[in-house]
Amino acid sequence: MLKIASDLKNQIEQNIIAHQDIFNMSDDIIEIVKIIKKKLKKGGKILFCGNGGSAADAQHLAAEFIVRLRPHINRQPLSALTLAQDTSTITACGNDFSFDDIFVRPFKSLANKNDILICISTSGESKNILKVLMEAKKQKVFSIALLGKKGGKAKKLCNKALIISSENTARIQECHIFIGHFILEKVEDLIISKK
């Protein structure tokens, strides 16, 4: 039992250290909030994507844009969706083309210039993430990447990279969902206040 208590303390400390990276991102986060609000006001939408746990985070954040984040704030839905929403599209694309195309195919069919792509990747090296970021660049769609470790190749392909420098996947994902929630809350505040 002492080992479990020690491990818990250690992991909480790792979580706190990982979250400290976010302090250095405040200027980028403020800019991202303003850009998302501006794009939504112009009729754009947020297109999320990620693999594994990051896919779950992408769905989680899209749901909170569409439904609501805070129970006491009933606002109009904000336009958001994930690029890997259903098993039929994912498996058809993986089978007929390649797993590397599962984000880029729906992106090509849905994206327009007022949209924002938000990629979530702990490594920044997933081929399907890199491919959709390259397509966003080609289509001049503003892209944000929530990344981990050193950011991987994705950090050079996006317009804004928010990198959690931890090597621990769980700690990176915990920071990504915090950042996502914070950004959404601030976008929501701006939209409600109509500033």
Side-chain angles (χ1 to χ4, degrees):
M1 294 304 247
L2 286 175
K3 172 87 167 76
I4 294 171
S6 171
D7 285 350
L8 177 61
K9 181 178 182 291
N10 182 40
Q11 291 202 25
I12 291 169
E13 287 169 352
Q14 285 178 24
N15 180 284
I16 291 166
I17 290 165
H19 274 78
Q20 287 174 342
D21 280 349
I22 301 169
F23 286 121
N24 300 322
M25 301 176 189
S26 59
D27 289 345
D28 285 335
I29 289 172
I30 291 165
E31 186 180 350
I32 286 167
V33 167
K34 290 177 182 174
I35 290 167
I36 291 174
K37 183 247 180 183
K38 183 179 172 185
K39 295 280 191 180
L40 289 172
K41 285 291 189 184
K42 288 183 173 180
K45 61 191 168 297
I46 313 299
L47 301 169
F48 289 96
C49 63
N51 292 295
S54 297
D57 286 345
Q59 288 181 332
H60 178 151
L61 293 169
E64 292 184 325
F65 266 88
I66 293 166
V67 184
R68 65 180 180 184
L69 175 66
R70 297 173 280 186
H72 64 284
I73 296 177
N74 289 314
R75 51 151 169 87
Q76 290 298 310
L78 301 175
S79 298
L81 59 109
T82 63
L83 294 174
Q85 208 153 251
D86 66 274
T87 55
S88 296
T89 304
I90 295 166
T91 55
C93 189
N95 186 59
D96 296 354
F97 293 95
S98 163
F99 187 76
D100 296 348
D101 295 327
I102 65 164
F103 301 136
V104 77
R105 295 289 295 183
F107 182 85
K108 284 180 177 181
S109 74
L110 297 167
N112 70 60
K113 66 179 181 178
N114 286 320
D115 292 343
I116 290 181
L117 172 66
I118 300 180
C119 296
I120 308 172
S121 174
T122 57
S123 69
E125 293 289 343
S126 302
K127 290 178 183 174
N128 52 15
I129 294 286
L130 301 178
K131 202 162 186 178
V132 75
L133 283 169
M134 286 187 270
E135 183 62 26
K137 191 179 281 279
K138 184 176 164 186
Q139 290 192 35
K140 296 183 172 46
V141 171
F142 191 86
S143 62
I144 300 159
L146 306 183
L147 304 168
K149 300 173 183 164
K150 294 185 174 142
K153 292 175 187 159
K155 73 179 173 188
K156 292 185 178 173
L157 295 173
C158 63
N159 295 102
K160 285 285 178 191
L162 301 178
I163 303 168
I164 302 301
S165 60
S166 174
E167 293 290 321
N168 184 309
T169 299
R171 302 297 82 84
I172 296 165
Q173 289 174 329
E174 289 155 6
C175 291
H176 285 172
I177 203 67
F178 174 87
I179 292 167
H181 281 150
F182 182 82
I183 288 171
L184 171 53
E185 186 178 301
K186 296 303 125 192
V187 169
E188 190 175 72
D189 288 345
L190 287 179
I191 285 173
I192 289 166
S193 68
K194 300 186 182 350
K195 287 182 181 174

